[in-house]
Amino acid sequence: MPQNEGYVLSLEKGLKILAALAETSEGIGLSELSRRLSLNKSTVYRMLTTFKAYGYVDQEPVTGKYTLGFKILELSSSLLERLDVRAVAHPFLKELAEKSGEVAHMVIRDGTEAVYIDKVEGNRTIRMYSQIGRRVALHSTAVGKAILAFLPPEEVEEIIGEKGLPAFTPRTITSLTTLQAELAGVRERGYAVDDGENEEGIRCVGAPIFDHQGQVIAALSISGSVITVTLERLTILGLLVRRASGEISRRLGYKG
């Protein structure tokens, strides 16, 4: 991390602690956190004690492990409330989850990745490794490919040049030529498909959301087990997602 004028090293350590706590739902003990971040135990303890006093960190009374506190949720909720696209899209996510019975997700692009900003569970949802705030790759997810398909080609190549095409499952696309052909299909259909490319046994369809300037800014998807999101259902689910994303885009001022 570059250290410019005004850079505060102690604050950096505190932010690293919060980031480490965000990566686990079970909590982390003091010694483990100190070892993982290569920070002095007494320094970590003082940071945690301060965060705890302000509600940013909680400590389990039995195990002594530390977790993020509800104050963090207040901050993130404030941020999400400022994302107008989320407010517009949420009713459509609920409708998609109700109609499909699967999980409906929404992401925004953040640089070379996508970030989940909303999620609505369906009535036959299996446990998925998705949560609000989690980052995912663009090339291996339906939402990511829905975004990539409508970016300028040179921007796509720049993203791939920086992030590469890592394989998350045996089905992940790892060839730029193959990905480019896939994105052409997304533009033709209006929706993207992730057939177990990001998580084994999970199949998704996703469609892009555009703003009033015609820029792709987000995407939404329906995700579920390959047992319930069958190949025969893909077209129907794809059209549902495409219709919803189109209506969201129009409400955001998109004229396309």
Side-chain angles (χ1 to χ4, degrees), residues 13-48:
K13 294 175 183 177
L15 293 174
K16 285 182 176 180
I17 289 172
L18 293 178
L21 293 177
E23 292 175 355
T24 177
S25 58
E26 294 81 15
I28 310 178
L30 175 61
S31 297
E32 170 62 16
L33 193 55
S34 173
R35 184 195 63 77
R36 186 178 299 186
L37 297 176
S38 299
L39 293 175
N40 184 278
K41 187 183 293 187
S42 62
T43 299
V44 175
Y45 177 75
R46 289 196 300 270
M47 293 277 186
L48 289 169

CSV table of all heavy atoms in Angstrom, one decimal, residues 13-48:
chain,number,residue,atom,x,y,z
A,13,LYS,N,-3.3,-0.5,10.4
A,13,LYS,CA,-3.3,-1.7,11.2
A,13,LYS,C,-4.7,-2.0,11.7
A,13,LYS,O,-5.2,-3.1,11.7
A,13,LYS,CB,-2.4,-1.6,12.4
A,13,LYS,CG,-0.9,-1.5,12.1
A,13,LYS,CD,0.0,-1.3,13.3
A,13,LYS,CE,1.4,-1.1,12.9
A,13,LYS,NZ,2.3,-0.8,14.1
A,14,GLY,N,-5.4,-0.9,12.1
A,14,GLY,CA,-6.8,-1.1,12.6
A,14,GLY,C,-7.7,-1.6,11.5
A,14,GLY,O,-8.6,-2.5,11.7
A,15,LEU,N,-7.5,-1.0,10.3
A,15,LEU,CA,-8.3,-1.4,9.1
A,15,LEU,C,-8.1,-2.9,8.7
A,15,LEU,O,-9.0,-3.6,8.3
A,15,LEU,CB,-8.1,-0.5,8.0
A,15,LEU,CG,-8.6,1.0,8.2
A,15,LEU,CD1,-8.1,1.9,7.0
A,15,LEU,CD2,-10.1,1.0,8.3
A,16,LYS,N,-6.8,-3.3,8.8
A,16,LYS,CA,-6.5,-4.7,8.5
A,16,LYS,C,-7.1,-5.6,9.5
A,16,LYS,O,-7.6,-6.7,9.1
A,16,LYS,CB,-4.9,-4.9,8.6
A,16,LYS,CG,-4.2,-4.3,7.4
A,16,LYS,CD,-2.7,-4.6,7.5
A,16,LYS,CE,-2.0,-4.1,6.2
A,16,LYS,NZ,-0.5,-4.3,6.3
A,17,ILE,N,-7.2,-5.2,10.7
A,17,ILE,CA,-7.9,-6.0,11.8
A,17,ILE,C,-9.4,-6.2,11.4
A,17,ILE,O,-10.0,-7.3,11.4
A,17,ILE,CB,-7.8,-5.4,13.2
A,17,ILE,CG1,-6.3,-5.6,13.6
A,17,ILE,CG2,-8.7,-6.1,14.2
A,17,ILE,CD1,-6.0,-4.8,14.9
A,18,LEU,N,-10.0,-5.1,11.0
A,18,LEU,CA,-11.5,-5.1,10.7
A,18,LEU,C,-11.7,-6.0,9.4
A,18,LEU,O,-12.6,-6.8,9.4
A,18,LEU,CB,-12.0,-3.7,10.4
A,18,LEU,CG,-12.1,-2.8,11.7
A,18,LEU,CD1,-12.6,-1.5,11.2
A,18,LEU,CD2,-13.0,-3.4,12.7
A,19,ALA,N,-10.8,-5.9,8.5
A,19,ALA,CA,-10.9,-6.7,7.2
A,19,ALA,C,-10.7,-8.2,7.5
A,19,ALA,O,-11.4,-9.0,7.0
A,19,ALA,CB,-9.8,-6.2,6.2
A,20,ALA,N,-9.8,-8.5,8.5
A,20,ALA,CA,-9.6,-9.9,8.8
A,20,ALA,C,-10.9,-10.5,9.5
A,20,ALA,O,-11.3,-11.6,9.3
A,20,ALA,CB,-8.4,-10.0,9.7
A,21,LEU,N,-11.5,-9.7,10.4
A,21,LEU,CA,-12.7,-10.1,11.1
A,21,LEU,C,-13.8,-10.3,10.1
A,21,LEU,O,-14.7,-11.2,10.3
A,21,LEU,CB,-13.1,-9.1,12.2
A,21,LEU,CG,-12.1,-8.9,13.3
A,21,LEU,CD1,-12.6,-7.8,14.3
A,21,LEU,CD2,-12.0,-10.3,14.1
A,22,ALA,N,-13.8,-9.5,9.0
A,22,ALA,CA,-14.9,-9.6,8.1
A,22,ALA,C,-14.8,-10.9,7.2
A,22,ALA,O,-15.8,-11.3,6.6
A,22,ALA,CB,-14.9,-8.4,7.1
A,23,GLU,N,-13.7,-11.5,7.3
A,23,GLU,CA,-13.5,-12.7,6.5
A,23,GLU,C,-14.0,-14.0,7.2
A,23,GLU,O,-14.0,-15.1,6.6
A,23,GLU,CB,-12.0,-12.9,6.1
A,23,GLU,CG,-11.5,-11.8,5.1
A,23,GLU,CD,-10.0,-11.9,4.9
A,23,GLU,OE1,-9.4,-12.8,5.5
A,23,GLU,OE2,-9.5,-11.1,4.1
A,24,THR,N,-14.4,-13.9,8.4
A,24,THR,CA,-14.9,-15.1,9.1
A,24,THR,C,-16.2,-14.8,9.9
A,24,THR,O,-16.4,-13.7,10.4
A,24,THR,CB,-13.8,-15.6,10.1
A,24,THR,OG1,-14.3,-16.7,10.8
A,24,THR,CG2,-13.4,-14.5,11.1
A,25,SER,N,-17.1,-15.8,9.9
A,25,SER,CA,-18.3,-15.6,10.7
A,25,SER,C,-18.2,-16.3,12.0
A,25,SER,O,-19.0,-16.0,12.9
A,25,SER,CB,-19.5,-16.2,9.9
A,25,SER,OG,-19.2,-17.6,9.6
A,26,GLU,N,-17.1,-17.1,12.2
A,26,GLU,CA,-17.0,-17.8,13.5
A,26,GLU,C,-16.2,-17.0,14.5
A,26,GLU,O,-16.2,-17.3,15.7
A,26,GLU,CB,-16.2,-19.1,13.3
A,26,GLU,CG,-17.0,-20.1,12.5
A,26,GLU,CD,-16.9,-19.9,11.0
A,26,GLU,OE1,-16.0,-19.1,10.6
A,26,GLU,OE2,-17.7,-20.4,10.2
A,27,GLY,N,-15.5,-15.9,14.1
A,27,GLY,CA,-14.7,-15.1,15.0
A,27,GLY,C,-13.3,-15.6,15.0
A,27,GLY,O,-12.9,-16.7,14.6
A,28,ILE,N,-12.4,-14.7,15.5
A,28,ILE,CA,-11.0,-15.0,15.6
A,28,ILE,C,-10.4,-14.7,17.0
A,28,ILE,O,-10.8,-13.6,17.5
A,28,ILE,CB,-10.2,-14.2,14.5
A,28,ILE,CG1,-10.8,-14.3,13.1
A,28,ILE,CG2,-8.7,-14.7,14.5
A,28,ILE,CD1,-10.1,-13.5,12.1
A,29,GLY,N,-9.6,-15.5,17.5
A,29,GLY,CA,-8.9,-15.2,18.8
A,29,GLY,C,-7.8,-14.2,18.6
A,29,GLY,O,-7.3,-14.0,17.5
A,30,LEU,N,-7.4,-13.7,19.7
A,30,LEU,CA,-6.3,-12.7,19.7
A,30,LEU,C,-5.0,-13.2,19.1
A,30,LEU,O,-4.4,-12.6,18.2
A,30,LEU,CB,-6.1,-12.1,21.1
A,30,LEU,CG,-4.9,-11.2,21.3
A,30,LEU,CD1,-5.1,-9.9,20.5
A,30,LEU,CD2,-4.8,-10.8,22.8
A,31,SER,N,-4.6,-14.4,19.5
A,31,SER,CA,-3.3,-14.9,19.1
A,31,SER,C,-3.4,-15.2,17.6
A,31,SER,O,-2.4,-14.9,16.8
A,31,SER,CB,-3.0,-16.2,19.9
A,31,SER,OG,-2.8,-15.9,21.2
A,32,GLU,N,-4.5,-15.8,17.1
A,32,GLU,CA,-4.6,-16.1,15.7
A,32,GLU,C,-4.6,-14.8,14.9
A,32,GLU,O,-4.0,-14.8,13.8
A,32,GLU,CB,-5.9,-16.9,15.5
A,32,GLU,CG,-6.3,-17.1,14.0
A,32,GLU,CD,-5.3,-17.9,13.2
A,32,GLU,OE1,-4.4,-18.5,13.8
A,32,GLU,OE2,-5.3,-17.8,12.0
A,33,LEU,N,-5.3,-13.8,15.3
A,33,LEU,CA,-5.4,-12.6,14.6
A,33,LEU,C,-4.0,-11.9,14.5
A,33,LEU,O,-3.6,-11.4,13.5
A,33,LEU,CB,-6.4,-11.6,15.3
A,33,LEU,CG,-6.9,-10.4,14.5
A,33,LEU,CD1,-7.5,-10.8,13.2
A,33,LEU,CD2,-7.9,-9.6,15.3
A,34,SER,N,-3.3,-12.0,15.6
A,34,SER,CA,-1.9,-11.4,15.6
A,34,SER,C,-1.0,-12.1,14.7
A,34,SER,O,-0.3,-11.5,13.9
A,34,SER,CB,-1.4,-11.5,17.1
A,34,SER,OG,0.0,-11.1,17.1
A,35,ARG,N,-1.1,-13.5,14.7
A,35,ARG,CA,-0.3,-14.3,13.8
A,35,ARG,C,-0.6,-14.0,12.3
A,35,ARG,O,0.2,-13.9,11.5
A,35,ARG,CB,-0.5,-15.8,14.1
A,35,ARG,CG,0.4,-16.7,13.3
A,35,ARG,CD,0.0,-18.1,13.4
A,35,ARG,NE,-1.3,-18.3,12.8
A,35,ARG,CZ,-1.6,-18.4,11.5
A,35,ARG,NH1,-0.6,-18.2,10.7
A,35,ARG,NH2,-2.8,-18.5,11.1
A,36,ARG,N,-1.9,-14.0,12.0
A,36,ARG,CA,-2.4,-13.9,10.7
A,36,ARG,C,-2.0,-12.5,10.0
A,36,ARG,O,-1.6,-12.4,8.9
A,36,ARG,CB,-3.9,-14.0,10.6
A,36,ARG,CG,-4.5,-14.0,9.2
A,36,ARG,CD,-6.0,-14.2,9.2
A,36,ARG,NE,-6.4,-15.4,9.8
A,36,ARG,CZ,-7.7,-15.8,9.8
A,36,ARG,NH1,-8.6,-15.1,9.2
A,36,ARG,NH2,-8.0,-17.0,10.4
A,37,LEU,N,-2.0,-11.5,10.9
A,37,LEU,CA,-1.6,-10.1,10.3
A,37,LEU,C,-0.2,-9.8,10.6
A,37,LEU,O,0.2,-8.7,10.2
A,37,LEU,CB,-2.6,-9.1,11.0
A,37,LEU,CG,-4.1,-9.3,10.7
A,37,LEU,CD1,-4.9,-8.2,11.5
A,37,LEU,CD2,-4.4,-9.1,9.2
A,38,SER,N,0.5,-10.6,11.2
A,38,SER,CA,2.0,-10.4,11.6
A,38,SER,C,2.1,-9.1,12.4
A,38,SER,O,2.9,-8.2,12.1
A,38,SER,CB,2.8,-10.3,10.3
A,38,SER,OG,2.8,-11.5,9.6
A,39,LEU,N,1.2,-8.9,13.3
A,39,LEU,CA,1.2,-7.7,14.2
A,39,LEU,C,1.4,-8.1,15.6
A,39,LEU,O,1.1,-9.3,16.0
A,39,LEU,CB,-0.1,-7.0,14.1
A,39,LEU,CG,-0.4,-6.3,12.8
A,39,LEU,CD1,-1.9,-5.7,12.8
A,39,LEU,CD2,0.6,-5.2,12.4
A,40,ASN,N,2.1,-7.3,16.4
A,40,ASN,CA,2.3,-7.5,17.8
A,40,ASN,C,1.0,-7.8,18.5
A,40,ASN,O,0.0,-7.0,18.3
A,40,ASN,CB,3.1,-6.3,18.4
A,40,ASN,CG,3.5,-6.6,19.9
A,40,ASN,OD1,2.6,-6.4,20.8
A,40,ASN,ND2,4.7,-7.0,20.1
A,41,LYS,N,1.0,-8.8,19.4
A,41,LYS,CA,-0.3,-9.1,20.1
A,41,LYS,C,-0.8,-8.0,21.0
A,41,LYS,O,-2.0,-7.7,21.0
A,41,LYS,CB,0.0,-10.4,21.0
A,41,LYS,CG,-1.4,-10.9,21.6
A,41,LYS,CD,-1.1,-12.1,22.5
A,41,LYS,CE,-0.6,-13.3,21.8
A,41,LYS,NZ,-0.6,-14.5,22.7
A,42,SER,N,0.1,-7.2,21.6
A,42,SER,CA,-0.4,-6.1,22.5
A,42,SER,C,-1.0,-5.0,21.6
A,42,SER,O,-2.0,-4.4,22.0
A,42,SER,CB,0.8,-5.6,23.3
A,42,SER,OG,1.8,-5.1,22.5
A,43,THR,N,-0.4,-4.8,20.4
A,43,THR,CA,-1.0,-3.8,19.5
A,43,THR,C,-2.4,-4.2,19.1
A,43,THR,O,-3.3,-3.4,19.1
A,43,THR,CB,-0.1,-3.6,18.3
A,43,THR,OG1,1.2,-3.2,18.7
A,43,THR,CG2,-0.7,-2.6,17.3
A,44,VAL,N,-2.5,-5.5,18.7
A,44,VAL,CA,-3.8,-6.0,18.2
A,44,VAL,C,-4.8,-5.9,19.4
A,44,VAL,O,-6.0,-5.5,19.2
A,44,VAL,CB,-3.7,-7.4,17.7
A,44,VAL,CG1,-5.1,-8.0,17.4
A,44,VAL,CG2,-2.8,-7.5,16.5
A,45,TYR,N,-4.4,-6.2,20.6
A,45,TYR,CA,-5.3,-6.2,21.7
A,45,TYR,C,-5.8,-4.7,22.0
A,45,TYR,O,-7.0,-4.5,22.2
A,45,TYR,CB,-4.6,-6.7,23.0
A,45,TYR,CG,-5.4,-6.6,24.2
A,45,TYR,CD1,-6.5,-7.5,24.5
A,45,TYR,CD2,-5.2,-5.6,25.2
A,45,TYR,CE1,-7.3,-7.4,25.6
A,45,TYR,CE2,-6.0,-5.5,26.3
A,45,TYR,CZ,-7.0,-6.4,26.5
A,45,TYR,OH,-7.8,-6.3,27.6
A,46,ARG,N,-4.9,-3.8,21.9
A,46,ARG,CA,-5.3,-2.4,22.1
A,46,ARG,C,-6.3,-1.9,21.1
A,46,ARG,O,-7.3,-1.2,21.4
A,46,ARG,CB,-4.1,-1.5,22.2
A,46,ARG,CG,-3.2,-1.6,23.4
A,46,ARG,CD,-2.2,-0.5,23.5
A,46,ARG,NE,-1.4,-0.3,22.4
A,46,ARG,CZ,-0.2,-1.0,22.3
A,46,ARG,NH1,0.2,-1.7,23.3
A,46,ARG,NH2,0.6,-0.8,21.2
A,47,MET,N,-6.0,-2.3,19.8
A,47,MET,CA,-6.9,-1.9,18.7
A,47,MET,C,-8.3,-2.5,18.9
A,47,MET,O,-9.3,-1.9,18.8
A,47,MET,CB,-6.3,-2.4,17.4
A,47,MET,CG,-5.1,-1.8,16.9
A,47,MET,SD,-5.4,-0.2,16.1
A,47,MET,CE,-3.8,0.2,15.6
A,48,LEU,N,-8.3,-3.8,19.3
A,48,LEU,CA,-9.6,-4.5,19.5
A,48,LEU,C,-10.4,-3.9,20.7
A,48,LEU,O,-11.6,-3.8,20.6
A,48,LEU,CB,-9.3,-6.0,19.7
A,48,LEU,CG,-8.9,-6.8,18.5
A,48,LEU,CD1,-8.4,-8.2,19.0
A,48,LEU,CD2,-10.0,-7.0,17.5
